[in-house]
Amino acid sequence: QVQLVESGGGLVQAGGSLRLSCTASGRTFSSYAMGWFRQAPGKEREFVAAVSRSGGNIYYVDSVKGRFTIFRDNAKNTVYLQMNSLKPEDTAVYYCAANRNYYATGASEYDYWGQGTQVTVSS
């Protein structure tokens, strides 16, 4: 099994940037597609972005296209989410997740989850 640990969250002003990191244990990181999700208070967990095993295919939710970038470094067992032009509505706890099969947009399709990191964007 895989353990995932997120880092990089914080408090920023609207228009600012953050880079989230998710580091995985084990030596089979490249066997998993990786995704980022977020959850705001009182709302369901929302898909944000996903990247395939090789890093060659990506998918974003419409609300972050052009602002967020997902990428991975398999040699470091790490997936990143670069967030630019942040908006207050981006405020949430952000989670990374691993999928044994294929990158997907549904939370139920992922097999392993990190503990989450808080992102707060002020007006």
Side-chain angles (χ1 to χ4, degrees):
Q1 51 188 335
V2 177
Q3 292 181 320
L4 305 173
V5 180
E6 301 100 330
S7 63
L11 173 64
V12 298
Q13 294 184 352
S17 298
L18 285 173
R19 178 176 290 185
L20 306 183
S21 300
C22 175
T23 300
S25 65
R27 303 174 69 86
T28 59
F29 180 72
S30 62
S31 297
Y32 297 92
M34 300 296 298
W36 284 97
F37 292 77
R38 63 188 181 187
Q39 188 165 21
K43 296 184 178 180
E44 295 184 349
R45 191 163 297 187
E46 176 191 25
F47 170 79
V48 177
V51 59
S52 62
R53 298 173 183 180
S54 66
N57 296 101
I58 58 174
Y59 188 81
Y60 300 101
V61 68
D62 286 345
S63 61
V64 308
K65 288 181 179 178
R67 300 189 298 120
F68 290 12
T69 303
I70 185 172
F71 58 101
R72 66 193 297 164
D73 186 341
N74 287 346
K76 296 182 177 180
N77 282 8
T78 301
V79 62
Y80 304 90
L81 185 68
Q82 177 67 46
M83 305 185 295
N84 299 326
S85 301
L86 283 162
K87 304 175 181 179
E89 49 263 46
D90 295 318
T91 295
V93 176
Y94 283 70
Y95 300 88
C96 69
N99 189 314
R100 293 170 178 163
N101 300 306
Y102 195 73
Y103 69 98
T105 61
S108 64
E109 299 181 76
Y110 286 79
D111 302 293
Y112 304 101
W113 292 85
Q115 84 287 356
T117 185
Q118 177 71 48
V119 172
T120 302
V121 184
S122 62
S123 301

